[in-house]
Coordinates of all heavy atoms in Angstrom, one line a residue:
M1 N -33.3 59.2 152.6 CA -32.4 58.9 153.7 C -32.5 60.0 154.7 O -32.3 61.1 154.5 CB -31.0 58.6 153.3 CG -30.0 58.6 154.3 SD -28.3 58.5 153.7 CE -27.7 60.1 154.1
F2 N -33.0 59.6 156.0 CA -33.0 60.5 157.0 C -31.7 60.3 157.8 O -31.1 59.2 157.9 CB -34.1 60.2 158.0 CG -35.5 60.6 157.4 CD1 -36.2 59.6 156.9 CD2 -35.9 61.9 157.5 CE1 -37.5 60.0 156.3 CE2 -37.1 62.2 156.9 CZ -38.0 61.3 156.3
Y3 N -31.2 61.4 158.4 CA -30.0 61.3 159.2 C -30.0 62.4 160.3 O -30.7 63.3 160.2 CB -28.7 61.5 158.3 CG -28.6 62.8 157.6 CD1 -27.9 63.8 158.2 CD2 -29.1 62.8 156.3 CE1 -27.8 65.0 157.4 CE2 -29.0 64.0 155.7 CZ -28.3 65.1 156.2 OH -28.2 66.3 155.5
V4 N -29.3 62.2 161.3 CA -29.1 63.2 162.3 C -27.7 63.9 162.0 O -26.8 63.4 161.5 CB -29.1 62.7 163.7 CG1 -30.5 62.2 164.1 CG2 -28.0 61.6 163.9
K5 N -27.8 65.3 162.3 CA -26.6 66.1 162.0 C -26.2 66.9 163.3 O -27.2 67.5 163.9 CB -26.9 67.1 160.9 CG -25.7 68.0 160.5 CD -26.1 68.8 159.2 CE -26.9 69.9 159.4 NZ -27.1 70.8 158.3
E6 N -25.1 66.8 163.7 CA -24.7 67.6 164.9 C -23.3 68.3 164.6 O -22.4 67.7 164.1 CB -24.6 66.6 166.1 CG -24.2 67.2 167.4 CD -25.4 68.0 168.0 OE1 -26.6 67.6 167.8 OE2 -25.2 69.1 168.5
E7 N -23.2 69.5 165.1 CA -21.9 70.2 164.9 C -21.1 69.8 166.2 O -21.6 70.1 167.3 CB -22.1 71.7 164.8 CG -20.8 72.4 164.5 CD -20.9 73.9 164.3 OE1 -21.9 74.2 163.7 OE2 -20.0 74.7 164.7
L8 N -20.0 69.3 166.1 CA -19.2 68.9 167.2 C -18.3 70.0 167.8 O -18.6 70.5 168.8 CB -18.2 67.7 166.8 CG -19.0 66.4 166.3 CD1 -17.9 65.4 166.0 CD2 -19.8 65.9 167.5
K9 N -17.4 70.5 167.0 CA -16.5 71.5 167.5 C -15.7 72.1 166.3 O -15.5 71.4 165.3 CB -15.5 71.0 168.5 CG -14.8 71.9 169.3 CD -13.9 71.1 170.3 CE -13.2 72.1 171.2 NZ -12.3 71.4 172.1
D10 N -15.5 73.3 166.3 CA -14.7 74.0 165.2 C -15.3 73.7 163.9 O -14.5 73.5 162.9 CB -13.2 73.6 165.3 CG -12.6 74.0 166.6 OD1 -13.0 75.0 167.2 OD2 -11.7 73.2 167.1
G11 N -16.6 73.7 163.7 CA -17.1 73.5 162.3 C -17.2 72.1 161.9 O -17.6 71.8 160.8
V12 N -16.8 71.2 162.7 CA -16.8 69.8 162.3 C -18.2 69.2 162.6 O -18.8 69.4 163.7 CB -15.8 69.0 163.1 CG1 -15.9 67.5 162.7 CG2 -14.4 69.5 162.8
E13 N -18.8 68.7 161.5 CA -20.2 68.2 161.6 C -20.2 66.6 161.5 O -19.3 66.1 160.8 CB -21.1 68.7 160.5 CG -21.5 70.1 160.8 CD -22.6 70.5 159.7 OE1 -22.8 69.8 158.6 OE2 -23.2 71.5 159.9
I14 N -21.0 66.0 162.2 CA -21.2 64.6 162.0 C -22.5 64.3 161.5 O -23.6 64.9 161.9 CB -20.9 63.8 163.4 CG1 -21.0 62.3 163.2 CG2 -21.9 64.2 164.5 CD1 -20.5 61.5 164.4
H15 N -22.7 63.4 160.5 CA -23.9 63.0 159.9 C -24.0 61.5 160.1 O -23.2 60.8 159.8 CB -24.0 63.2 158.4 CG -23.9 64.7 158.0 ND1 -24.4 65.2 156.8 CD2 -23.5 65.8 158.7 CE1 -24.3 66.5 156.8 NE2 -23.7 66.9 157.9
I16 N -25.2 61.1 160.7 CA -25.4 59.7 161.0 C -26.7 59.3 160.4 O -27.8 59.8 160.8 CB -25.3 59.4 162.4 CG1 -24.0 59.8 163.1 CG2 -25.6 57.9 162.7 CD1 -24.0 59.7 164.6
E17 N -26.7 58.4 159.5 CA -27.9 57.9 158.8 C -28.7 57.1 159.9 O -28.2 56.3 160.6 CB -27.5 56.9 157.6 CG -28.8 56.5 157.0 CD -28.5 55.5 155.8 OE1 -27.3 55.3 155.5 OE2 -29.4 55.0 155.2
I18 N -30.0 57.5 159.9 CA -31.0 56.8 160.8 C -31.3 55.4 160.0 O -31.9 55.5 159.0 CB -32.2 57.6 161.1 CG1 -31.7 58.9 161.8 CG2 -33.2 56.9 161.9 CD1 -32.8 59.9 162.1
T19 N -31.1 54.4 160.8 CA -31.4 53.0 160.2 C -32.3 52.4 161.2 O -32.7 52.9 162.3 CB -30.2 52.2 160.0 OG1 -29.7 51.8 161.2 CG2 -29.2 52.9 159.1
D20 N -32.7 51.1 161.0 CA -33.5 50.4 161.9 C -32.7 49.7 163.0 O -33.1 48.9 163.8 CB -34.3 49.2 161.2 CG -33.4 48.3 160.4 OD1 -32.2 48.6 160.3 OD2 -34.0 47.3 159.8
E21 N -31.3 50.0 163.0 CA -30.4 49.4 164.0 C -29.7 50.5 164.8 O -28.9 50.1 165.7 CB -29.4 48.6 163.2 CG -30.0 47.4 162.4 CD -28.9 46.6 161.7 OE1 -27.9 47.1 161.5 OE2 -29.3 45.5 161.3
N22 N -29.8 51.7 164.6 CA -29.1 52.7 165.4 C -29.9 53.7 166.1 O -29.3 54.7 166.5 CB -28.0 53.3 164.5 CG -28.6 54.3 163.5 OD1 -29.8 54.4 163.3 ND2 -27.7 54.9 162.7
V23 N -31.1 53.5 166.3 CA -32.0 54.4 167.1 C -32.2 53.7 168.5 O -32.7 52.5 168.5 CB -33.3 54.6 166.4 CG1 -34.2 55.6 167.3 CG2 -33.0 55.3 165.1
Y24 N -32.1 54.4 169.5 CA -32.3 53.9 170.9 C -33.2 54.8 171.7 O -33.4 56.0 171.4 CB -30.9 53.8 171.6 CG -30.0 52.8 170.9 CD1 -29.2 53.2 169.9 CD2 -30.0 51.5 171.4 CE1 -28.4 52.2 169.3 CE2 -29.2 50.5 170.7 CZ -28.4 50.9 169.7 OH -27.6 50.0 169.1
N25 N -33.7 54.3 172.7 CA -34.7 55.0 173.6 C -34.3 54.4 175.0 O -33.8 53.3 175.3 CB -36.0 54.6 173.2 CG -37.1 54.7 174.2 OD1 -37.8 55.8 174.2 ND2 -37.5 53.8 174.9
T26 N -34.6 55.3 176.0 CA -34.4 54.8 177.5 C -35.8 54.5 177.9 O -36.7 55.3 177.9 CB -33.7 56.0 178.2 OG1 -32.5 56.3 177.7 CG2 -33.5 55.5 179.6
C27 N -36.0 53.3 178.5 CA -37.2 52.9 179.0 C -37.7 53.9 180.1 O -36.8 54.1 181.0 CB -37.2 51.5 179.6 SG -38.6 51.0 180.4
P28 N -38.8 54.5 180.0 CA -39.2 55.6 181.0 C -39.5 55.0 182.4 O -39.6 55.7 183.3 CB -40.5 56.1 180.4 CG -41.0 55.1 179.5 CD -39.8 54.3 179.0
V29 N -39.6 53.6 182.5 CA -39.8 53.1 183.8 C -38.5 52.7 184.5 O -38.3 53.1 185.6 CB -40.7 51.8 183.7 CG1 -41.0 51.1 185.0 CG2 -42.1 52.2 183.0
C30 N -37.7 51.9 183.9 CA -36.5 51.3 184.5 C -35.2 52.0 184.0 O -34.1 51.8 184.6 CB -36.4 49.8 184.3 SG -36.0 49.3 182.6
G31 N -35.3 52.8 182.9 CA -34.1 53.5 182.5 C -33.1 52.6 181.5 O -32.1 53.2 181.1
K32 N -33.5 51.4 181.2 CA -32.8 50.5 180.4 C -32.8 51.1 179.0 O -33.8 51.5 178.4 CB -33.3 49.2 180.4 CG -32.6 48.1 179.6 CD -33.3 46.7 179.7 CE -32.7 45.8 178.8 NZ -33.4 44.5 178.8
E33 N -31.6 51.1 178.3 CA -31.4 51.5 176.9 C -31.9 50.3 176.0 O -31.5 49.2 176.2 CB -30.0 51.8 176.6 CG -29.8 52.2 175.2 CD -28.3 52.5 174.8 OE1 -27.7 51.5 174.5 OE2 -27.9 53.6 174.8
I34 N -32.9 50.7 175.1 CA -33.3 49.6 174.2 C -33.3 50.1 172.8 O -33.5 51.4 172.5 CB -34.7 49.2 174.6 CG1 -35.7 50.4 174.8 CG2 -34.8 48.3 175.7 CD1 -37.1 49.9 175.0
A35 N -33.0 49.2 171.9 CA -33.1 49.6 170.4 C -34.5 49.7 170.0 O -35.4 49.0 170.4 CB -32.3 48.5 169.6
V36 N -34.7 50.7 169.2 CA -36.0 51.0 168.7 C -36.1 51.0 167.1 O -35.3 51.7 166.6 CB -36.6 52.3 169.2 CG1 -37.9 52.7 168.6 CG2 -36.6 52.3 170.7
D37 N -37.0 50.2 166.5 CA -37.1 50.4 165.1 C -38.3 51.4 164.8 O -39.4 51.2 165.1 CB -37.5 49.0 164.6 CG -37.6 49.0 163.0 OD1 -37.7 50.1 162.4 OD2 -37.6 47.9 162.5
L38 N -37.9 52.6 164.3 CA -38.8 53.6 164.2 C -39.9 53.3 163.2 O -41.0 53.8 163.3 CB -38.1 54.9 163.6 CG -37.3 55.6 164.6 CD1 -36.5 56.9 164.0 CD2 -38.0 56.1 165.9
T39 N -39.8 52.3 162.3 CA -40.8 51.9 161.4 C -41.9 51.2 162.2 O -43.1 51.4 161.9 CB -40.3 50.9 160.2 OG1 -39.5 50.0 160.8 CG2 -39.6 51.8 159.2
D40 N -41.5 50.5 163.2 CA -42.5 49.9 164.2 C -43.3 51.0 164.9 O -44.5 51.0 165.1 CB -41.9 49.0 165.2 CG -41.4 47.7 164.5 OD1 -41.9 47.4 163.4 OD2 -40.6 47.0 165.1
V41 N -42.6 52.0 165.4 CA -43.2 53.0 166.2 C -44.2 53.8 165.4 O -45.3 54.2 165.8 CB -42.2 54.0 166.8 CG1 -42.8 55.2 167.5 CG2 -41.2 53.2 167.8
F42 N -43.9 54.1 164.2 CA -44.7 54.9 163.2 C -45.6 54.1 162.4 O -46.3 54.7 161.6 CB -43.9 55.9 162.4 CG -43.2 56.9 163.2 CD1 -41.8 56.8 163.5 CD2 -43.9 58.0 163.7 CE1 -41.2 57.8 164.3 CE2 -43.3 59.0 164.4 CZ -41.9 58.8 164.8
S43 N -45.7 52.8 162.6 CA -46.5 52.0 161.7 C -48.0 52.2 161.9 O -48.7 52.0 160.9 CB -46.2 50.5 162.0 OG -46.6 50.2 163.3
D44 N -48.4 52.8 163.0 CA -49.9 53.1 163.1 C -50.2 54.4 162.5 O -51.4 54.8 162.6 CB -50.4 52.9 164.6 CG -49.8 53.9 165.5 OD1 -49.0 54.8 165.0 OD2 -50.1 53.9 166.7
G45 N -49.3 55.2 162.1 CA -49.5 56.5 161.5 C -49.9 57.6 162.5 O -50.2 58.7 162.1
D46 N -49.7 57.3 163.8 CA -50.2 58.3 164.8 C -49.2 58.5 165.9 O -49.6 58.8 167.0 CB -51.5 57.8 165.4 CG -52.3 58.8 166.2 OD1 -52.1 60.0 165.8 OD2 -53.0 58.5 167.1
A47 N -48.0 58.4 165.6 CA -46.9 58.5 166.6 C -46.3 59.9 166.6 O -46.3 60.6 165.6 CB -45.8 57.5 166.5
D48 N -46.0 60.4 167.8 CA -45.4 61.7 167.9 C -43.9 61.5 168.4 O -43.7 61.0 169.4 CB -46.2 62.6 169.0 CG -45.5 63.9 169.2 OD1 -44.3 64.1 168.9 OD2 -46.3 64.8 169.7
L49 N -43.0 61.8 167.6 CA -41.6 61.5 167.8 C -41.1 62.1 169.1 O -40.3 61.4 169.9 CB -40.7 62.1 166.8 CG -39.3 61.8 166.7 CD1 -38.9 60.3 166.7 CD2 -38.4 62.6 165.7
F50 N -41.6 63.3 169.6 CA -41.2 63.9 170.8 C -41.9 63.4 172.1 O -41.5 63.6 173.1 CB -41.3 65.4 170.7 CG -40.4 65.9 169.5 CD1 -41.0 66.4 168.4 CD2 -39.0 65.9 169.6 CE1 -40.3 66.8 167.3 CE2 -38.3 66.4 168.5 CZ -38.9 66.8 167.3
A51 N -43.1 62.8 171.8 CA -44.0 62.5 173.0 C -44.0 61.0 173.1 O -44.7 60.5 174.1 CB -45.3 63.0 172.8
T52 N -43.3 60.2 172.3 CA -43.4 58.8 172.3 C -42.2 58.2 173.1 O -41.1 58.5 172.8 CB -43.5 58.2 170.9 OG1 -44.6 58.8 170.3 CG2 -43.5 56.6 171.0
S53 N -42.5 57.3 174.0 CA -41.4 56.5 174.7 C -41.8 55.0 174.5 O -42.9 54.7 174.4 CB -41.4 56.8 176.2 OG -41.0 58.1 176.4
V54 N -40.8 54.3 174.4 CA -40.9 52.8 174.2 C -40.4 52.1 175.4 O -39.3 52.3 175.9 CB -40.2 52.3 172.9 CG1 -40.3 50.8 172.8 CG2 -40.7 53.1 171.7
L55 N -41.3 51.3 176.1 CA -40.9 50.5 177.3 C -40.1 49.3 176.8 O -40.3 48.8 175.8 CB -42.1 50.1 178.0 CG -42.8 51.0 178.9 CD1 -43.5 52.2 178.2 CD2 -43.8 50.5 179.8
C56 N -39.3 48.9 177.8 CA -38.4 47.6 177.5 C -39.5 46.5 177.6 O -40.6 46.6 178.1 CB -37.3 47.5 178.5 SG -37.8 47.2 180.2
G57 N -39.0 45.3 177.3 CA -39.8 44.2 177.3 C -40.4 43.8 178.7 O -41.5 43.4 178.9
T58 N -39.5 43.9 179.7 CA -39.8 43.5 181.0 C -41.0 44.5 181.5 O -42.0 44.0 182.1 CB -38.6 43.6 181.9 OG1 -37.6 42.8 181.4 CG2 -39.0 43.2 183.3
C59 N -40.8 45.8 181.4 CA -41.7 46.8 181.9 C -43.0 46.7 181.1 O -44.1 46.8 181.7 CB -41.1 48.2 181.8 SG -39.7 48.4 182.9
S60 N -43.0 46.4 179.8 CA -44.2 46.4 179.1 C -45.0 45.1 179.5 O -46.2 45.3 179.6 CB -44.0 46.4 177.6 OG -43.2 45.3 177.2
K61 N -44.3 44.0 179.7 CA -45.1 42.8 180.3 C -45.6 43.1 181.6 O -46.9 42.8 181.8 CB -44.1 41.6 180.4 CG -43.8 41.0 179.1 CD -42.8 39.9 179.3 CE -42.2 39.4 178.0 NZ -41.0 38.6 178.1
Y62 N -45.0 43.8 182.4 CA -45.5 44.1 183.8 C -46.7 45.0 183.7 O -47.8 44.7 184.3 CB -44.4 44.8 184.7 CG -44.9 45.2 186.0 CD1 -45.2 44.4 187.0 CD2 -45.1 46.6 186.2 CE1 -45.6 44.8 188.3 CE2 -45.6 47.0 187.5 CZ -45.8 46.1 188.4 OH -46.3 46.6 189.6
I63 N -46.6 46.0 182.8 CA -47.8 46.9 182.8 C -49.0 46.3 182.1 O -50.2 46.5 182.5 CB -47.3 48.2 182.0 CG1 -46.4 49.0 182.9 CG2 -48.5 49.1 181.5 CD1 -45.8 50.2 182.3
L64 N -48.8 45.4 181.1 CA -49.9 44.7 180.5 C -50.5 43.8 181.4 O -51.8 43.7 181.5 CB -49.4 44.0 179.3 CG -49.0 44.8 178.0 CD1 -48.4 43.9 177.0 CD2 -50.2 45.5 177.5
R65 N -49.7 43.2 182.2 CA -50.3 42.3 183.3 C -51.1 43.0 184.4 O -52.2 42.6 184.7 CB -49.1 41.5 184.0 CG -49.5 40.0 184.2 CD -48.3 39.3 184.7 NE -47.2 39.1 183.8 CZ -45.9 39.2 184.2 NH1 -45.6 39.4 185.4 NH2 -45.0 39.0 183.3
K66 N -50.6 44.3 184.7 CA -51.2 45.1 185.8 C -52.6 45.5 185.2 O -53.6 45.7 186.0 CB -50.4 46.2 186.0 CG -50.5 46.9 187.3 CD -49.4 47.9 187.6 CE -50.0 49.3 187.6 NZ -48.9 50.3 187.8
D67 N -52.8 45.8 183.9 CA -54.0 46.2 183.4 C -55.1 45.2 183.2 O -56.2 45.5 183.0 CB -53.8 46.9 182.0 CG -53.1 48.2 182.2 OD1 -53.0 48.8 183.3 OD2 -52.6 48.7 181.2
E68 N -54.7 43.9 183.3 CA -55.6 42.8 183.1 C -56.7 42.7 184.2 O -56.4 43.0 185.3 CB -55.0 41.5 182.9 CG -54.3 41.4 181.5 CD -53.4 40.1 181.4 OE1 -53.5 39.2 182.4 OE2 -52.8 39.9 180.4
Ligands
ZN1 ZN1 -38.0 49.0 181.5

C-alpha cells in the first residue's frame, strides 16, 4: 500500500492511502482538475511521476486533432 504522509501542525501527521480514486492532476493546458488512475499512467513502464502531466479529455482531443 502506498500512501502520502504530511505533517500538518504540532506533530500531527496525516496518512492518505493512494488509490485509483484519490489522485488528481491539473490539466497543463486548461487548468481543469481531473482524476488520474496511476496504474494507467505507469502501465507502459516508462512514466516519470514528476515529469508527467495528464491532459483532460477536451484538451487531449484537441491536441490529437491538431497533429493529424
Ligand atoms: Zn484541459
Side-chain angles (χ1 to χ4, degrees):
M1 166 181 107
F2 289 99
Y3 60 93
V4 292
K5 179 171 84 172
E6 183 73 39
E7 184 173 330
L8 298 177
K9 199 175 180 184
D10 300 327
V12 176
E13 283 185 349
I14 184 169
H15 294 204
I16 301 172
E17 181 180 359
I18 297 172
T19 70
D20 58 351
E21 297 177 346
N22 68 359
V23 176
Y24 295 87
N25 163 90
T26 303
C27 174
V29 178
C30 71
K32 181 180 175 184
E33 181 184 80
I34 48 174
V36 175
D37 184 345
L38 289 178
T39 44
D40 287 343
V41 173
F42 290 103
S43 63
D44 67 357
D46 194 29
D48 179 339
L49 184 61
F50 301 107
T52 301
S53 292
V54 179
L55 277 70
C56 72
T58 305
C59 293
S60 61
K61 280 179 197 162
Y62 174 75
I63 286 175
L64 287 173
R65 222 177 286 141
K66 206 169 112 182
D67 288 344
E68 287 175 1

